Amino acid sequence: MKNVRVRFAPSPTGYLHLGGARTALFNWLFARHHKGSFILRIEDTDSQRSTDEALEVIIKGLRWLGLDWDEGPEKEGEYGPYFQAQRTEVHRKYADRLVREGKAYFCYCSPEELESMRKKAREEGKPPKYNGRCRDQSDEQRKEYEEQGRKPVLRFRTRQEGTTKINDLIHGELSFENSLLDDFIILKSTGTATYNFAVVTDDIEMKITHVIRGDDHISNTPRQILLYEALGSTLPEFAHIPMIFGSDRAKLSKRHGAVAVTEYMKEGYLREAMVNYLALLGWSTTDSQQIFELDDLINKFTLKGCSKSASVFDFKKLEWLNGEYVRKMNIDELTEKAMPFILDANLNVEDKEKLRKAVSLEQEKIKLLKDIPGLIDFMLKDDIGYTDKAVAKVLKKEGSREVLSDIMEKINGMDDFSEKELEEMVREYCRRKDLKTGKVFHPLRAAVSGRTTGPGLFVMLEFIGKERVLKRIEESMKYT
């Protein structure tokens, strides 16, 4: 494909949620795959609900995901401006043309009159749509309404016969009966364009070739196609991607994790894992590949791989995927990315090499960056606490006190406090006492770390150091 141009057009009335982020990603991947352009357009015509704060959160989310745009805010191109509220003159230009050509008309119906129409239609078992009352009004009627102070809206004169068809790149052929559509509003009484009209005229002006969006927009498509045809413009290709559901197959909501994408950043998810996971929500390769480097994802992404069915957001899979990316990450980069979480936990970070080593010892267990402080704190602090499980299940067990007393005596006599020498000493003690290793390993771990899990026992002991190990074993005796 040549000259591919796609757009992501969020409304700054809320945060960038998972569904919006997935739509942005699919557009971005499609543009990068075809070496085309990815445009960011801000649909801010809802002046009452649009906020600078919401816009900032959206842009921050896109930047965290690495979805750079070729045209849009801060990257002006020849088809700007990229804020819809600044494109009023463009919208009116197209609206005036439709009026001149008899394809749109002014409607003076009051809200009460419109509600009366809808009520009557429902009583007659018909769709509650506008009945075309002002379609063929005379100049005298129009003048009378204006003298009454009525502010008109502009309605599109929808074709009432036949069907409107679309060959959707994901769903195949879709057909809509024109008789079910009403003469929808394209300009509000304030002169501001409505969603369907603004989208079409902006897409025409920006030369958008493919419209990739959620399938909740399918109902808007026939109206938009009719506008394209009325304006004599070439239709873009449409591709409606499936919805994202929660684990209970209900529409994604906050209880499923439908929060701002930036919240996942704060929770310690990696950008690479989030992009990888979002790509798998409604798209797949023929061999069901799960983990992708970004270049590989760009190379393999096609709309043919998109599903027609809704996808399910799975926290466990996202965490698993994040853990996979953590484990293959360079330890220096991982430590650097975890630094904000480590600093928030008030851990000592002066010794960078020691910090790096502590993180590396737990790298295999890390799922989220925010987990790191809780996994490594006992290795960096002088004083530790003891979990209830460590006390009840291990330290209070019969024989633990004697084992710890013996091991402490042996450690006192060690000159070489290395992982190798520690393991040889402890295993020799187990053989001489005829004890299973768990009878010694578990109490020793609990005494030194205050918990029942952690990195390899002997590398952990070496890292903590002889003096602190002895002090902790002595402290743990209070719980035996």
Side-chain angles (χ1 to χ4, degrees):
M1 297 181 191
K2 293 183 179 180
N3 303 319
V4 164
R5 290 177 61 81
V6 297
R7 48 73 169 175
F8 175 57
S11 174
T13 55
Y15 49 75
L16 178 67
H17 53 75
L18 288 170
R22 194 268 308 264
T23 298
L25 175 62
F26 279 23
N27 275 279
W28 186 86
L29 289 172
F30 187 80
R32 297 293 173 258
H33 179 86
H34 293 288
K35 296 179 172 54
S37 298
F38 173 63
I39 293 96
L40 175 61
R41 186 174 72 221
I42 307 301
E43 298 192 341
D44 56 346
T45 52
D46 188 341
S47 58
Q48 291 186 330
R49 295 175 60 225
S50 295
T51 66
D52 291 339
E53 292 76 16
L55 175 61
E56 185 179 340
V57 171
I58 289 170
I59 288 180
K60 186 177 181 181
L62 291 173
R63 284 183 172 147
W64 176 61
L65 293 170
L67 306 184
D68 55 318
W69 50 95
D70 303 295
E71 299 171 31
E74 301 175 16
K75 286 190 178 181
E76 290 298 319
E78 61 180 303
Y79 301 107
Y82 296 92
F83 287 84
Q84 207 169 63
Q86 298 172 16
R87 300 180 61 82
T88 303
E89 293 306 313
V90 174
H91 305 149
R92 287 177 180 168
K93 176 185 73 173
Y94 282 94
D96 290 344
R97 176 181 159 187
L98 291 176
V99 171
R100 287 196 308 272
E101 295 175 359
K103 297 173 181 176
Y105 62 91
F106 291 100
C107 171
Y108 294 85
C109 294
S110 67
E112 293 77 19
E113 289 168 336
L114 293 173
E115 179 54 36
S116 178
M117 287 179 204
R118 287 190 285 267
K119 182 179 179 182
K120 182 179 179 183
R122 283 192 290 266
E123 289 173 351
E124 295 174 353
K126 298 177 181 178
K129 65 177 188 174
Y130 180 67
N131 65 8
R133 174 179 171 179
C134 293
R135 232 179 192 247
D136 302 306
Q137 65 187 334
S138 65
D139 291 339
E140 289 76 17
Q141 288 173 315
R142 190 179 302 116
K143 184 179 179 181
E144 182 181 339
Y145 285 139
E146 289 177 355
E147 288 174 349
Q148 293 174 9
R150 296 196 186 197
K151 299 291 184 182
V153 297
L154 186 64
R155 290 185 181 272
F156 178 68
R157 196 181 293 271
T158 303
R159 188 167 63 242
Q160 294 297 298
E161 69 285 344
T163 58
T164 296
K165 295 182 179 180
I166 170 181
N167 184 27
D168 190 273
L169 296 177
I170 294 174
H171 294 273
E173 186 175 284
L174 301 173
S175 181
F176 307 89
E177 293 293 331
N178 292 332
S179 61
L180 298 178
L181 305 176
D182 61 357
D183 289 352
F184 55 93
I185 298 171
I186 57 175
L187 285 188
K188 303 172 189 176
S189 59
T190 58
T192 305
T194 58
Y195 169 76
N196 281 315
F197 190 58
V199 163
V200 169
T201 54
D202 288 346
D203 283 350
I204 291 172
E205 288 278 311
M206 294 181 182
K207 301 188 184 304
I208 300 301
T209 60
H210 296 75
V211 174
I212 304 169
R213 58 190 180 187
D215 60 11
D216 53 327
H217 282 286
I218 285 179
S219 61
N220 290 317
T221 307
R223 294 178 175 85
Q224 293 176 10
I225 290 175
L226 290 173
L227 285 169
Y228 275 104
E229 291 175 348
L231 293 167
S233 297
T234 302
L235 285 175
E237 299 270 13
F238 287 94
H240 291 91
I241 53 183
M243 297 283 284
I244 303 174
F245 287 160
S247 55
D248 55 1
R249 305 296 297 184
K251 187 177 180 181
L252 202 62
S253 64
K254 285 186 178 180
R255 65 191 172 92
H256 300 115
V259 295
V261 168
T262 48
E263 291 300 311
Y264 289 90
M265 175 179 69
K266 294 175 184 176
E267 285 291 299
Y269 288 91
L270 296 171
R271 168 184 19 212
E272 299 83 356
M274 181 58 79
V275 167
N276 193 152
Y277 183 69
L278 287 174
L280 296 174
L281 287 174
W283 175 82
S284 63
T285 56
T286 53
D287 60 354
S288 299
Q289 182 178 342
Q290 295 294 298
I291 300 177
F292 297 84
E293 296 294 334
L294 187 58
D295 287 344
D296 189 31
L297 192 57
I298 290 171
N299 183 53
K300 293 181 178 178
F301 184 83
T302 67
L303 292 175
K304 289 181 180 178
C306 292
S307 169
K308 296 180 183 180
S309 305
S311 48
V312 175
F313 182 71
D314 184 347
F315 260 120
K316 289 184 178 179
K317 183 170 182 179
L318 175 57
E319 281 197 0
W320 165 80
L321 198 56
N322 206 69
E324 292 294 309
Y325 276 91
V326 166
R327 280 184 279 284
K328 66 179 184 176
M329 185 175 285
N330 174 282
I331 193 63
D332 291 323
E333 184 183 4
L334 177 58
T335 305
E336 186 62 31
K337 284 186 179 293
M339 193 60 72
F341 300 93
I342 294 170
L343 291 172
D344 281 347
N346 295 315
L347 296 183
N348 189 337
V349 298
E350 291 181 8
D351 189 336
K352 300 295 184 186
E353 183 55 34
K354 190 172 185 179
L355 176 63
R356 175 185 169 282
K357 177 67 173 177
V359 173
S360 71
L361 290 178
E362 289 287 42
Q363 187 170 7
E364 287 298 311
K365 294 187 182 72
I366 298 168
K367 291 182 179 179
L368 304 176
L369 296 181
K370 75 169 186 177
D371 297 339
I372 292 176
L375 290 170
I376 68 171
D377 58 356
F378 76 93
M379 289 187 273
L380 302 174
K381 291 180 177 180
D382 288 330
D383 298 315
I384 61 169
Y386 290 84
T387 66
D388 292 341
K389 186 176 180 181
V391 173
K393 300 285 187 181
V394 182
L395 294 178
K396 285 192 176 297
K397 265 196 169 183
E398 185 179 348
S400 290
R401 185 180 183 84
E402 180 184 350
V403 163
L404 291 173
S405 180
D406 289 346
I407 294 295
M408 187 163 61
E409 183 179 341
K410 289 188 172 295
I411 288 175
N412 262 314
M414 292 180 72
D415 294 322
D416 181 1
F417 198 72
S418 66
E419 175 187 354
K420 182 172 181 280
E421 291 298 319
L422 282 163
E423 184 169 4
E424 286 181 1
M425 178 271 288
V426 172
R427 290 190 183 279
E428 172 58 28
Y429 174 78
C430 291
R431 284 192 292 271
R432 191 165 54 81
K433 289 284 189 177
D434 194 25
L435 294 171
K436 291 183 178 179
T437 55
K439 292 286 187 181
V440 179
F441 285 17
H442 296 329
L444 185 52
R445 176 183 295 283
V448 175
S449 69
R451 56 193 70 179
T452 58
T453 60
L457 176 61
F458 303 107
V459 69
M460 177 189 79
L461 294 174
E462 180 184 340
F463 179 88
I464 292 171
K466 182 177 178 179
E467 185 179 335
R468 288 199 297 172
V469 165
L470 287 171
K471 180 182 176 183
R472 290 182 184 184
I473 293 176
E474 186 174 359
E475 178 70 17
S476 72
M477 294 292 196
K478 298 176 183 177
Y479 301 97
T480 59

